[in-house]
Amino acid sequence: EKQLAEIQLSLEQLTLKRDSLRKSVESHRALISPARRLPGDIIQEIFLRCLPSKSNAVISSREAPIKLTQICSAWRDIAVSLPPL
């Protein structure tokens, strides 16, 4: 019974460690996403094309250009550096 309890405790600890490692892997997958490898000038062009063509952009956290600044700090820097945005 004692050995079984020790094995069960070890299994629970390993399961927690595995879950923690999975979360870490998932959080780091974003770092290798294709969007992060796009050149800045391409991202700028995408941002400019997100703007409405028939009216002024609405200042809303749900729409471009504000939404674009919330993706990551690199995208925020690009969006803020573009005068049209």
Side-chain angles (χ1 to χ4, degrees), residues 10-81:
S10 293
L11 179 61
E12 290 171 5
Q13 290 172 341
L14 288 171
T15 300
L16 288 173
K17 185 174 181 178
R18 180 198 61 201
D19 293 344
S20 174
L21 290 171
R22 279 186 179 165
K23 286 180 185 177
S24 178
V25 166
E26 287 301 317
S27 67
H28 287 89
R29 281 184 196 239
L31 296 174
I32 60 172
S33 71
R36 287 193 172 266
R37 293 187 296 246
L38 287 173
D41 57 331
I42 301 295
I43 295 174
Q44 288 177 349
E45 187 63 31
I46 293 169
F47 288 1
L48 292 173
R49 291 179 185 259
C50 287
L51 293 174
S53 60
K54 297 181 180 176
S55 64
N56 289 331
V58 178
I59 304 299
S60 169
S61 63
R62 295 178 181 224
E63 297 181 24
I66 302 298
K67 184 72 166 179
L68 300 171
T69 66
Q70 298 172 344
I71 306 299
C72 66
S73 62
W75 283 29
R76 182 174 36 258
D77 293 342
I78 291 170
V80 170
S81 71

